[in-house]
Amino acid sequence: MADIDWTARAKNLLKAELKRRGVSYRELAEKLTAMGIPESERNIANKISRGGFTGAFLLQCLAAVGATTIRLDD
């Protein structure tokens, strides 16, 4: 497990969930803003592309798109 790139896994997990649900970064920004978490499309794209986001941001995004479960296996 030590050789796993956890940042890449988090990024890929979020991107896969957005794709599975057909949610664009723009739509995600709208959903987060509606939840009281103002984020711009550009800021979301930057966070996801570099994988530099918090666990809280990941959970906020998953909640915004209505994810109730996540798959951790490939």
Side-chain angles (χ1 to χ4, degrees):
M1 286 293 239
D3 61 344
I4 294 174
D5 183 346
W6 292 103
T7 300
R9 283 201 65 189
K11 175 173 80 168
N12 292 336
L13 183 144
L14 182 51
K15 287 173 74 173
E17 195 61 40
L18 293 174
K19 185 171 187 167
R20 205 174 356 266
R21 294 174 180 277
V23 177
S24 69
Y25 290 165
R26 178 183 302 265
E27 292 168 319
L28 179 57
E30 291 168 0
K31 290 175 183 294
L32 287 170
T33 299
M35 290 172 53
I37 306 160
E39 288 282 355
S40 69
E41 178 182 1
R42 181 191 267 313
N43 194 36
I44 288 170
N46 287 340
K47 283 183 180 184
I48 294 174
S49 72
R50 72 176 183 268
F53 49 81
T54 64
F57 177 77
L58 174 62
L59 294 175
Q60 290 166 340
C61 291
L62 294 173
V65 300
T68 56
T69 59
I70 55 172
R71 281 185 53 182
L72 297 179
D73 58 344
D74 298 332

Short mmCIF file of all heavy atoms in Angstrom, two decimals:
data_model
loop_
_atom_site.label_atom_id
_atom_site.label_comp_id
_atom_site.label_asym_id
_atom_site.label_seq_id
_atom_site.Cartn_x
_atom_site.Cartn_y
_atom_site.Cartn_z
N MET A 1 0.81 -1.20 0.00
CA MET A 1 0.00 0.00 0.00
C MET A 1 0.85 1.27 0.00
O MET A 1 0.36 2.31 -0.35
CB MET A 1 -0.92 0.02 1.23
CG MET A 1 -2.08 -0.94 1.16
SD MET A 1 -3.23 -0.48 -0.09
CE MET A 1 -4.71 -0.25 0.80
N ALA A 2 2.10 1.16 0.43
CA ALA A 2 2.93 2.35 0.54
C ALA A 2 3.23 3.00 -0.81
O ALA A 2 3.51 4.18 -0.87
CB ALA A 2 4.23 2.01 1.25
N ASP A 3 3.19 2.23 -1.88
CA ASP A 3 3.53 2.77 -3.19
C ASP A 3 2.31 3.35 -3.92
O ASP A 3 2.42 3.76 -5.07
CB ASP A 3 4.22 1.72 -4.05
CG ASP A 3 3.35 0.50 -4.30
OD1 ASP A 3 2.35 0.33 -3.59
OD2 ASP A 3 3.69 -0.29 -5.19
N ILE A 4 1.17 3.41 -3.28
CA ILE A 4 -0.03 3.96 -3.90
C ILE A 4 0.04 5.48 -3.90
O ILE A 4 0.37 6.10 -2.89
CB ILE A 4 -1.29 3.49 -3.16
CG1 ILE A 4 -1.46 1.98 -3.34
CG2 ILE A 4 -2.53 4.22 -3.68
CD1 ILE A 4 -2.59 1.39 -2.54
N ASP A 5 -0.29 6.09 -5.03
CA ASP A 5 -0.38 7.54 -5.13
C ASP A 5 -1.80 7.94 -4.70
O ASP A 5 -2.73 7.93 -5.50
CB ASP A 5 -0.08 7.99 -6.57
CG ASP A 5 -0.10 9.50 -6.72
OD1 ASP A 5 -0.58 10.22 -5.81
OD2 ASP A 5 0.37 9.98 -7.77
N TRP A 6 -1.94 8.27 -3.43
CA TRP A 6 -3.27 8.56 -2.88
C TRP A 6 -3.87 9.82 -3.48
O TRP A 6 -5.10 9.90 -3.64
CB TRP A 6 -3.19 8.65 -1.36
CG TRP A 6 -2.88 7.32 -0.75
CD1 TRP A 6 -1.69 6.90 -0.26
CD2 TRP A 6 -3.78 6.22 -0.62
NE1 TRP A 6 -1.80 5.60 0.18
CE2 TRP A 6 -3.07 5.16 -0.03
CE3 TRP A 6 -5.13 6.02 -0.95
CZ2 TRP A 6 -3.66 3.93 0.25
CZ3 TRP A 6 -5.70 4.79 -0.67
CH2 TRP A 6 -4.97 3.77 -0.08
N THR A 7 -3.05 10.79 -3.82
CA THR A 7 -3.56 12.02 -4.44
C THR A 7 -4.21 11.68 -5.78
O THR A 7 -5.31 12.14 -6.08
CB THR A 7 -2.42 13.04 -4.63
OG1 THR A 7 -1.87 13.35 -3.35
CG2 THR A 7 -2.92 14.31 -5.28
N ALA A 8 -3.53 10.87 -6.57
CA ALA A 8 -4.07 10.47 -7.88
C ALA A 8 -5.34 9.65 -7.70
O ALA A 8 -6.29 9.81 -8.47
CB ALA A 8 -3.02 9.69 -8.66
N ARG A 9 -5.37 8.78 -6.71
CA ARG A 9 -6.58 7.97 -6.47
C ARG A 9 -7.76 8.85 -6.12
O ARG A 9 -8.88 8.62 -6.61
CB ARG A 9 -6.34 6.96 -5.36
CG ARG A 9 -5.51 5.79 -5.86
CD ARG A 9 -5.63 4.56 -5.04
NE ARG A 9 -6.98 4.00 -5.08
CZ ARG A 9 -7.37 3.02 -4.28
NH1 ARG A 9 -6.54 2.51 -3.40
NH2 ARG A 9 -8.59 2.55 -4.37
N ALA A 10 -7.55 9.86 -5.26
CA ALA A 10 -8.64 10.76 -4.88
C ALA A 10 -9.13 11.53 -6.10
O ALA A 10 -10.34 11.67 -6.33
CB ALA A 10 -8.18 11.72 -3.79
N LYS A 11 -8.20 12.04 -6.89
CA LYS A 11 -8.55 12.79 -8.10
C LYS A 11 -9.33 11.92 -9.07
O LYS A 11 -10.38 12.32 -9.59
CB LYS A 11 -7.27 13.32 -8.76
CG LYS A 11 -7.49 14.01 -10.08
CD LYS A 11 -6.21 14.65 -10.60
CE LYS A 11 -5.30 13.66 -11.25
NZ LYS A 11 -4.22 14.32 -12.00
N ASN A 12 -8.85 10.72 -9.31
CA ASN A 12 -9.51 9.82 -10.25
C ASN A 12 -10.88 9.37 -9.75
O ASN A 12 -11.81 9.22 -10.54
CB ASN A 12 -8.63 8.61 -10.55
CG ASN A 12 -7.40 9.01 -11.34
OD1 ASN A 12 -7.38 10.03 -12.02
ND2 ASN A 12 -6.36 8.22 -11.24
N LEU A 13 -10.99 9.16 -8.45
CA LEU A 13 -12.28 8.78 -7.87
C LEU A 13 -13.31 9.87 -8.11
O LEU A 13 -14.43 9.60 -8.55
CB LEU A 13 -12.11 8.53 -6.37
CG LEU A 13 -13.35 8.06 -5.63
CD1 LEU A 13 -12.96 7.06 -4.55
CD2 LEU A 13 -14.09 9.20 -5.02
N LEU A 14 -12.95 11.12 -7.85
CA LEU A 14 -13.87 12.23 -8.03
C LEU A 14 -14.22 12.42 -9.51
O LEU A 14 -15.39 12.58 -9.86
CB LEU A 14 -13.30 13.52 -7.43
CG LEU A 14 -14.18 14.76 -7.52
CD1 LEU A 14 -15.59 14.50 -6.98
CD2 LEU A 14 -13.53 15.92 -6.79
N LYS A 15 -13.21 12.37 -10.36
CA LYS A 15 -13.47 12.53 -11.79
C LYS A 15 -14.38 11.42 -12.32
O LYS A 15 -15.30 11.67 -13.11
CB LYS A 15 -12.15 12.55 -12.57
CG LYS A 15 -11.37 13.84 -12.39
CD LYS A 15 -10.00 13.78 -13.00
CE LYS A 15 -10.07 13.88 -14.50
NZ LYS A 15 -8.74 14.00 -15.12
N ALA A 16 -14.17 10.19 -11.86
CA ALA A 16 -14.99 9.07 -12.30
C ALA A 16 -16.44 9.24 -11.84
O ALA A 16 -17.37 8.95 -12.60
CB ALA A 16 -14.41 7.76 -11.77
N GLU A 17 -16.60 9.70 -10.63
CA GLU A 17 -17.97 9.88 -10.11
C GLU A 17 -18.69 10.98 -10.88
O GLU A 17 -19.87 10.84 -11.20
CB GLU A 17 -17.93 10.21 -8.61
CG GLU A 17 -19.26 10.08 -7.93
CD GLU A 17 -19.84 8.68 -7.99
OE1 GLU A 17 -19.10 7.69 -7.86
OE2 GLU A 17 -21.07 8.57 -8.19
N LEU A 18 -18.00 12.04 -11.20
CA LEU A 18 -18.62 13.12 -12.00
C LEU A 18 -18.99 12.60 -13.38
O LEU A 18 -20.09 12.88 -13.89
CB LEU A 18 -17.67 14.31 -12.11
CG LEU A 18 -17.39 15.07 -10.81
CD1 LEU A 18 -16.32 16.13 -11.04
CD2 LEU A 18 -18.65 15.69 -10.25
N LYS A 19 -18.10 11.84 -13.98
CA LYS A 19 -18.36 11.30 -15.31
C LYS A 19 -19.53 10.32 -15.28
O LYS A 19 -20.41 10.35 -16.14
CB LYS A 19 -17.11 10.62 -15.86
CG LYS A 19 -17.27 10.15 -17.28
CD LYS A 19 -15.96 9.67 -17.86
CE LYS A 19 -16.14 9.37 -19.33
NZ LYS A 19 -14.90 9.19 -20.02
N ARG A 20 -19.53 9.44 -14.28
CA ARG A 20 -20.61 8.45 -14.14
C ARG A 20 -21.97 9.13 -14.04
O ARG A 20 -22.97 8.63 -14.55
CB ARG A 20 -20.34 7.61 -12.88
CG ARG A 20 -20.94 6.26 -12.89
CD ARG A 20 -20.57 5.35 -11.71
NE ARG A 20 -19.61 5.77 -10.72
CZ ARG A 20 -18.29 5.49 -10.75
NH1 ARG A 20 -17.78 4.83 -11.77
NH2 ARG A 20 -17.50 5.87 -9.78
N ARG A 21 -22.00 10.27 -13.41
CA ARG A 21 -23.26 10.99 -13.20
C ARG A 21 -23.52 12.06 -14.26
O ARG A 21 -24.53 12.74 -14.20
CB ARG A 21 -23.28 11.60 -11.81
CG ARG A 21 -23.29 10.52 -10.74
CD ARG A 21 -23.15 11.08 -9.35
NE ARG A 21 -23.17 10.01 -8.38
CZ ARG A 21 -24.28 9.45 -7.91
NH1 ARG A 21 -25.45 9.86 -8.32
NH2 ARG A 21 -24.20 8.47 -7.02
N GLY A 22 -22.57 12.22 -15.18
CA GLY A 22 -22.74 13.20 -16.25
C GLY A 22 -22.75 14.63 -15.77
O GLY A 22 -23.44 15.48 -16.32
N VAL A 23 -21.95 14.92 -14.74
CA VAL A 23 -21.91 16.26 -14.15
C VAL A 23 -20.62 16.96 -14.58
O VAL A 23 -19.53 16.45 -14.36
CB VAL A 23 -21.98 16.18 -12.60
CG1 VAL A 23 -21.84 17.56 -11.97
CG2 VAL A 23 -23.27 15.51 -12.16
N SER A 24 -20.77 18.12 -15.19
CA SER A 24 -19.63 18.92 -15.61
C SER A 24 -19.12 19.75 -14.43
O SER A 24 -19.79 19.87 -13.39
CB SER A 24 -20.02 19.86 -16.75
OG SER A 24 -20.91 20.87 -16.26
N TYR A 25 -17.94 20.33 -14.59
CA TYR A 25 -17.40 21.19 -13.54
C TYR A 25 -18.31 22.39 -13.32
O TYR A 25 -18.50 22.83 -12.20
CB TYR A 25 -15.99 21.66 -13.88
CG TYR A 25 -14.93 20.57 -13.84
CD1 TYR A 25 -13.70 20.76 -14.42
CD2 TYR A 25 -15.16 19.35 -13.22
CE1 TYR A 25 -12.71 19.79 -14.38
CE2 TYR A 25 -14.19 18.37 -13.17
CZ TYR A 25 -12.97 18.59 -13.75
OH TYR A 25 -12.00 17.61 -13.70
N ARG A 26 -18.90 22.91 -14.39
CA ARG A 26 -19.83 24.04 -14.27
C ARG A 26 -21.04 23.64 -13.43
O ARG A 26 -21.46 24.37 -12.53
CB ARG A 26 -20.27 24.52 -15.64
CG ARG A 26 -21.28 25.67 -15.59
CD ARG A 26 -21.75 26.08 -16.97
NE ARG A 26 -20.64 26.47 -17.81
CZ ARG A 26 -20.23 27.72 -17.98
NH1 ARG A 26 -20.85 28.70 -17.38
NH2 ARG A 26 -19.20 27.98 -18.75
N GLU A 27 -21.60 22.47 -13.73
CA GLU A 27 -22.76 21.99 -12.97
C GLU A 27 -22.39 21.73 -11.52
O GLU A 27 -23.18 22.03 -10.61
CB GLU A 27 -23.33 20.72 -13.62
CG GLU A 27 -23.96 20.97 -14.96
CD GLU A 27 -24.26 19.68 -15.72
OE1 GLU A 27 -23.41 18.75 -15.69
OE2 GLU A 27 -25.33 19.62 -16.34
N LEU A 28 -21.20 21.19 -11.30
CA LEU A 28 -20.75 20.95 -9.93
C LEU A 28 -20.63 22.26 -9.18
O LEU A 28 -21.05 22.36 -8.03
CB LEU A 28 -19.41 20.20 -9.93
CG LEU A 28 -18.82 19.91 -8.55
CD1 LEU A 28 -19.77 19.11 -7.67
CD2 LEU A 28 -17.48 19.20 -8.70
N ALA A 29 -20.09 23.28 -9.83
CA ALA A 29 -19.97 24.60 -9.20
C ALA A 29 -21.35 25.13 -8.81
O ALA A 29 -21.53 25.68 -7.71
CB ALA A 29 -19.28 25.58 -10.14
N GLU A 30 -22.33 24.95 -9.68
CA GLU A 30 -23.69 25.41 -9.39
C GLU A 30 -24.28 24.65 -8.21
O GLU A 30 -24.91 25.23 -7.33
CB GLU A 30 -24.57 25.25 -10.63
CG GLU A 30 -24.22 26.18 -11.75
CD GLU A 30 -24.89 25.84 -13.08
OE1 GLU A 30 -25.67 24.85 -13.14
OE2 GLU A 30 -24.64 26.57 -14.06
N LYS A 31 -24.07 23.34 -8.18
CA LYS A 31 -24.60 22.51 -7.10
C LYS A 31 -23.94 22.86 -5.76
O LYS A 31 -24.62 22.94 -4.74
CB LYS A 31 -24.40 21.03 -7.42
CG LYS A 31 -25.27 20.51 -8.55
CD LYS A 31 -24.93 19.06 -8.89
CE LYS A 31 -25.72 18.53 -10.06
NZ LYS A 31 -27.14 18.41 -9.80
N LEU A 32 -22.63 23.06 -5.77
CA LEU A 32 -21.94 23.44 -4.53
C LEU A 32 -22.40 24.80 -4.05
O LEU A 32 -22.64 24.99 -2.85
CB LEU A 32 -20.42 23.42 -4.75
CG LEU A 32 -19.78 22.04 -4.87
CD1 LEU A 32 -18.33 22.16 -5.33
CD2 LEU A 32 -19.86 21.28 -3.56
N THR A 33 -22.54 25.75 -4.96
CA THR A 33 -22.99 27.09 -4.60
C THR A 33 -24.40 27.02 -3.98
O THR A 33 -24.68 27.70 -2.99
CB THR A 33 -22.96 28.03 -5.81
OG1 THR A 33 -21.59 28.12 -6.26
CG2 THR A 33 -23.45 29.42 -5.46
N ALA A 34 -25.26 26.19 -4.56
CA ALA A 34 -26.61 26.03 -4.02
C ALA A 34 -26.59 25.45 -2.61
O ALA A 34 -27.50 25.69 -1.82
CB ALA A 34 -27.44 25.14 -4.95
N MET A 35 -25.52 24.71 -2.27
CA MET A 35 -25.36 24.14 -0.93
C MET A 35 -24.71 25.14 0.03
O MET A 35 -24.45 24.81 1.18
CB MET A 35 -24.47 22.89 -0.99
CG MET A 35 -25.10 21.70 -1.67
SD MET A 35 -23.93 20.31 -1.92
CE MET A 35 -23.26 20.02 -0.28
N GLY A 36 -24.40 26.34 -0.46
CA GLY A 36 -23.75 27.33 0.37
C GLY A 36 -22.23 27.23 0.36
O GLY A 36 -21.56 27.76 1.25
N ILE A 37 -21.70 26.55 -0.64
CA ILE A 37 -20.25 26.38 -0.78
C ILE A 37 -19.85 26.98 -2.12
O ILE A 37 -19.80 26.30 -3.13
CB ILE A 37 -19.87 24.88 -0.73
CG1 ILE A 37 -20.42 24.23 0.54
CG2 ILE A 37 -18.36 24.70 -0.83
CD1 ILE A 37 -20.53 22.73 0.46
N PRO A 38 -19.62 28.30 -2.14
CA PRO A 38 -19.33 28.95 -3.42
C PRO A 38 -17.99 28.52 -4.01
O PRO A 38 -16.95 28.65 -3.37
CB PRO A 38 -19.33 30.43 -3.08
CG PRO A 38 -19.12 30.51 -1.61
CD PRO A 38 -19.61 29.23 -1.03
N GLU A 39 -18.05 27.95 -5.19
CA GLU A 39 -16.85 27.51 -5.93
C GLU A 39 -17.07 27.88 -7.38
O GLU A 39 -18.17 27.72 -7.91
CB GLU A 39 -16.66 26.00 -5.83
CG GLU A 39 -16.20 25.48 -4.49
CD GLU A 39 -14.73 25.70 -4.22
OE1 GLU A 39 -13.99 26.16 -5.10
OE2 GLU A 39 -14.32 25.38 -3.10
N SER A 40 -16.02 28.35 -8.04
CA SER A 40 -16.12 28.65 -9.47
C SER A 40 -15.73 27.40 -10.26
O SER A 40 -15.04 26.52 -9.77
CB SER A 40 -15.19 29.81 -9.85
OG SER A 40 -13.84 29.40 -9.76
N GLU A 41 -16.19 27.37 -11.50
CA GLU A 41 -15.83 26.26 -12.38
C GLU A 41 -14.32 26.16 -12.51
O GLU A 41 -13.74 25.08 -12.46
CB GLU A 41 -16.48 26.48 -13.75
CG GLU A 41 -16.15 25.43 -14.77
CD GLU A 41 -16.77 25.70 -16.13
OE1 GLU A 41 -17.44 26.73 -16.31
OE2 GLU A 41 -16.56 24.88 -17.03
N ARG A 42 -13.65 27.30 -12.66
CA ARG A 42 -12.20 27.32 -12.82
C ARG A 42 -11.49 26.80 -11.58
O ARG A 42 -10.53 26.03 -11.66
CB ARG A 42 -11.72 28.75 -13.14
CG ARG A 42 -10.22 28.84 -13.36
CD ARG A 42 -9.72 30.26 -13.42
NE ARG A 42 -9.59 30.93 -14.67
CZ ARG A 42 -9.02 30.49 -15.78
NH1 ARG A 42 -8.58 29.26 -15.84
NH2 ARG A 42 -8.90 31.23 -16.83
N ASN A 43 -11.97 27.20 -10.41
CA ASN A 43 -11.35 26.75 -9.16
C ASN A 43 -11.50 25.24 -8.99
O ASN A 43 -10.56 24.56 -8.58
CB ASN A 43 -11.98 27.50 -7.98
CG ASN A 43 -11.17 27.35 -6.71
OD1 ASN A 43 -9.95 27.31 -6.75
ND2 ASN A 43 -11.86 27.25 -5.59
N ILE A 44 -12.68 24.73 -9.34
CA ILE A 44 -12.91 23.28 -9.26
C ILE A 44 -11.97 22.56 -10.22
O ILE A 44 -11.34 21.56 -9.86
CB ILE A 44 -14.38 22.95 -9.56
CG1 ILE A 44 -15.25 23.40 -8.39
CG2 ILE A 44 -14.56 21.46 -9.82
CD1 ILE A 44 -16.74 23.34 -8.66
N ALA A 45 -11.87 23.04 -11.45
CA ALA A 45 -11.00 22.42 -12.45
C ALA A 45 -9.55 22.40 -11.96
O ALA A 45 -8.85 21.39 -12.10
CB ALA A 45 -11.10 23.15 -13.78
N ASN A 46 -9.10 23.51 -11.37
CA ASN A 46 -7.73 23.59 -10.85
C ASN A 46 -7.51 22.60 -9.71
O ASN A 46 -6.49 21.89 -9.68
CB ASN A 46 -7.40 25.00 -10.40
CG ASN A 46 -7.19 25.96 -11.54
OD1 ASN A 46 -6.93 25.56 -12.67
ND2 ASN A 46 -7.34 27.24 -11.27
N LYS A 47 -8.44 22.57 -8.77
CA LYS A 47 -8.29 21.65 -7.63
C LYS A 47 -8.22 20.21 -8.09
O LYS A 47 -7.38 19.43 -7.64
CB LYS A 47 -9.49 21.81 -6.67
CG LYS A 47 -9.42 23.02 -5.79
CD LYS A 47 -10.62 23.02 -4.85
CE LYS A 47 -10.58 24.23 -3.95
NZ LYS A 47 -11.68 24.22 -2.97
N ILE A 48 -9.13 19.84 -9.00
CA ILE A 48 -9.18 18.45 -9.44
C ILE A 48 -7.98 18.10 -10.31
O ILE A 48 -7.40 17.03 -10.16
CB ILE A 48 -10.52 18.16 -10.14
CG1 ILE A 48 -11.67 18.27 -9.12
CG2 ILE A 48 -10.51 16.77 -10.78
CD1 ILE A 48 -13.06 18.15 -9.71
N SER A 49 -7.57 19.00 -11.18
CA SER A 49 -6.45 18.68 -12.07
C SER A 49 -5.16 18.45 -11.30
O SER A 49 -4.36 17.58 -11.66
CB SER A 49 -6.26 19.76 -13.13
OG SER A 49 -5.73 20.93 -12.57
N ARG A 50 -4.93 19.20 -10.25
CA ARG A 50 -3.70 19.00 -9.49
C ARG A 50 -3.90 18.01 -8.35
O ARG A 50 -2.93 17.59 -7.71
CB ARG A 50 -3.16 20.34 -8.97
CG ARG A 50 -3.92 20.98 -7.87
CD ARG A 50 -3.23 22.26 -7.36
NE ARG A 50 -3.97 22.79 -6.25
CZ ARG A 50 -4.93 23.69 -6.33
NH1 ARG A 50 -5.27 24.19 -7.49
NH2 ARG A 50 -5.58 24.11 -5.26
N GLY A 51 -5.16 17.64 -8.09
CA GLY A 51 -5.43 16.67 -7.03
C GLY A 51 -5.24 17.23 -5.64
O GLY A 51 -5.24 16.50 -4.67
N GLY A 52 -5.09 18.53 -5.56
CA GLY A 52 -4.83 19.16 -4.27
C GLY A 52 -6.08 19.67 -3.60
O GLY A 52 -6.31 20.86 -3.54
N PHE A 53 -6.90 18.74 -3.11
CA PHE A 53 -8.11 19.16 -2.42
C PHE A 53 -8.25 18.37 -1.13
O PHE A 53 -7.64 17.31 -0.96
CB PHE A 53 -9.35 18.99 -3.31
CG PHE A 53 -9.50 17.66 -3.98
CD1 PHE A 53 -10.00 16.56 -3.29
CD2 PHE A 53 -9.13 17.49 -5.30
CE1 PHE A 53 -10.14 15.33 -3.91
CE2 PHE A 53 -9.27 16.27 -5.92
CZ PHE A 53 -9.77 15.19 -5.23
N THR A 54 -9.03 18.91 -0.24
CA THR A 54 -9.19 18.29 1.07
C THR A 54 -10.22 17.16 1.02
O THR A 54 -11.02 17.08 0.08
CB THR A 54 -9.66 19.33 2.11
OG1 THR A 54 -10.97 19.78 1.73
CG2 THR A 54 -8.70 20.50 2.21
N GLY A 55 -10.21 16.37 2.04
CA GLY A 55 -11.24 15.35 2.19
C GLY A 55 -12.61 15.98 2.28
O GLY A 55 -13.59 15.45 1.76
N ALA A 56 -12.68 17.14 2.93
CA ALA A 56 -13.96 17.85 3.05
C ALA A 56 -14.48 18.24 1.67
O ALA A 56 -15.67 18.09 1.38
CB ALA A 56 -13.80 19.08 3.93
N PHE A 57 -13.59 18.72 0.79
CA PHE A 57 -14.01 19.10 -0.56
C PHE A 57 -14.51 17.88 -1.31
O PHE A 57 -15.54 17.94 -2.00
CB PHE A 57 -12.84 19.76 -1.31
CG PHE A 57 -13.17 20.12 -2.74
CD1 PHE A 57 -13.95 21.23 -3.04
CD2 PHE A 57 -12.71 19.33 -3.78
CE1 PHE A 57 -14.26 21.56 -4.35
CE2 PHE A 57 -13.01 19.65 -5.10
CZ PHE A 57 -13.78 20.77 -5.38
N LEU A 58 -13.83 16.76 -1.17
CA LEU A 58 -14.25 15.52 -1.83
C LEU A 58 -15.65 15.15 -1.36
O LEU A 58 -16.54 14.85 -2.17
CB LEU A 58 -13.27 14.39 -1.52
CG LEU A 58 -13.65 13.00 -2.02
CD1 LEU A 58 -13.77 12.96 -3.54
CD2 LEU A 58 -12.65 11.97 -1.55
N LEU A 59 -15.89 15.17 -0.05
CA LEU A 59 -17.21 14.83 0.48
C LEU A 59 -18.27 15.83 0.04
O LEU A 59 -19.40 15.43 -0.27
CB LEU A 59 -17.15 14.76 2.01
CG LEU A 59 -16.29 13.63 2.58
CD1 LEU A 59 -16.21 13.74 4.10
CD2 LEU A 59 -16.83 12.27 2.15
N GLN A 60 -17.93 17.10 -0.02
CA GLN A 60 -18.88 18.12 -0.49
C GLN A 60 -19.29 17.84 -1.94
O GLN A 60 -20.47 17.91 -2.28
CB GLN A 60 -18.28 19.52 -0.38
CG GLN A 60 -18.12 19.99 1.04
CD GLN A 60 -17.22 21.21 1.17
OE1 GLN A 60 -16.42 21.52 0.28
NE2 GLN A 60 -17.35 21.91 2.28
N CYS A 61 -18.32 17.52 -2.77
CA CYS A 61 -18.60 17.24 -4.18
C CYS A 61 -19.47 16.00 -4.32
O CYS A 61 -20.44 16.00 -5.10
CB CYS A 61 -17.30 17.05 -4.97
SG CYS A 61 -16.34 18.56 -5.15
N LEU A 62 -19.14 14.96 -3.58
CA LEU A 62 -19.92 13.73 -3.65
C LEU A 62 -21.35 13.96 -3.18
O LEU A 62 -22.30 13.47 -3.78
CB LEU A 62 -19.24 12.62 -2.84
CG LEU A 62 -17.89 12.15 -3.39
CD1 LEU A 62 -17.24 11.18 -2.40
CD2 LEU A 62 -18.03 11.54 -4.76
N ALA A 63 -21.51 14.75 -2.12
CA ALA A 63 -22.85 15.08 -1.64
C ALA A 63 -23.61 15.91 -2.67
O ALA A 63 -24.80 15.70 -2.90
CB ALA A 63 -22.77 15.83 -0.30
N ALA A 64 -22.92 16.86 -3.31
CA ALA A 64 -23.55 17.74 -4.30
C ALA A 64 -24.11 16.96 -5.48
O ALA A 64 -25.15 17.34 -6.03
CB ALA A 64 -22.55 18.79 -4.78
N VAL A 65 -23.44 15.88 -5.86
CA VAL A 65 -23.91 15.10 -7.02
C VAL A 65 -24.82 13.94 -6.60
O VAL A 65 -25.26 13.16 -7.43
CB VAL A 65 -22.75 14.60 -7.90
CG1 VAL A 65 -21.94 15.76 -8.45
CG2 VAL A 65 -21.86 13.60 -7.17
N GLY A 66 -25.07 13.83 -5.31
CA GLY A 66 -25.99 12.81 -4.82
C GLY A 66 -25.39 11.43 -4.64
O GLY A 66 -26.12 10.44 -4.59
N ALA A 67 -24.08 11.35 -4.54
CA ALA A 67 -23.44 10.05 -4.34
C ALA A 67 -23.70 9.58 -2.90
O ALA A 67 -23.48 10.33 -1.96
CB ALA A 67 -21.95 10.14 -4.59
N THR A 68 -24.17 8.37 -2.77
CA THR A 68 -24.40 7.81 -1.44
C THR A 68 -23.39 6.71 -1.11
O THR A 68 -23.25 6.33 0.04
CB THR A 68 -25.83 7.26 -1.31
OG1 THR A 68 -26.04 6.29 -2.34
CG2 THR A 68 -26.85 8.37 -1.43
N THR A 69 -22.72 6.21 -2.14
CA THR A 69 -21.66 5.22 -1.96
C THR A 69 -20.53 5.54 -2.94
O THR A 69 -20.76 6.20 -3.96
CB THR A 69 -22.14 3.78 -2.25
OG1 THR A 69 -22.61 3.70 -3.59
CG2 THR A 69 -23.26 3.36 -1.31
N ILE A 70 -19.33 5.08 -2.61
CA ILE A 70 -18.22 5.23 -3.53
C ILE A 70 -17.49 3.91 -3.66
O ILE A 70 -17.47 3.11 -2.71
CB ILE A 70 -17.22 6.34 -3.07
CG1 ILE A 70 -16.72 6.09 -1.65
CG2 ILE A 70 -17.83 7.71 -3.19
CD1 ILE A 70 -15.63 7.01 -1.22
N ARG A 71 -16.93 3.67 -4.84
CA ARG A 71 -16.14 2.46 -5.09
C ARG A 71 -14.68 2.80 -4.93
O ARG A 71 -14.17 3.68 -5.61
CB ARG A 71 -16.38 1.95 -6.50
CG ARG A 71 -17.67 1.19 -6.66
CD ARG A 71 -17.78 0.61 -8.04
NE ARG A 71 -16.59 -0.18 -8.37
CZ ARG A 71 -16.41 -0.76 -9.53
NH1 ARG A 71 -17.30 -0.63 -10.49
NH2 ARG A 71 -15.33 -1.47 -9.77
N LEU A 72 -14.00 2.09 -4.07
CA LEU A 72 -12.58 2.33 -3.87
C LEU A 72 -11.71 1.37 -4.67
O LEU A 72 -10.53 1.60 -4.84
CB LEU A 72 -12.23 2.20 -2.38
CG LEU A 72 -12.89 3.23 -1.47
CD1 LEU A 72 -12.49 2.99 -0.03
CD2 LEU A 72 -12.55 4.65 -1.90
N ASP A 73 -12.31 0.30 -5.20
CA ASP A 73 -11.53 -0.62 -6.01
C ASP A 73 -11.58 -0.19 -7.47
O ASP A 73 -12.43 0.57 -7.88
CB ASP A 73 -12.03 -2.05 -5.87
CG ASP A 73 -13.49 -2.21 -6.26
OD1 ASP A 73 -14.21 -1.19 -6.35
OD2 ASP A 73 -13.92 -3.35 -6.47
N ASP A 74 -10.61 -0.65 -8.24
CA ASP A 74 -10.55 -0.29 -9.64
C ASP A 74 -11.46 -1.21 -10.38
O ASP A 74 -12.11 -1.19 -11.20
CB ASP A 74 -9.12 -0.42 -10.17
CG ASP A 74 -8.19 0.54 -9.45
OD1 ASP A 74 -8.65 1.59 -8.98
OD2 ASP A 74 -7.01 0.23 -9.36
#
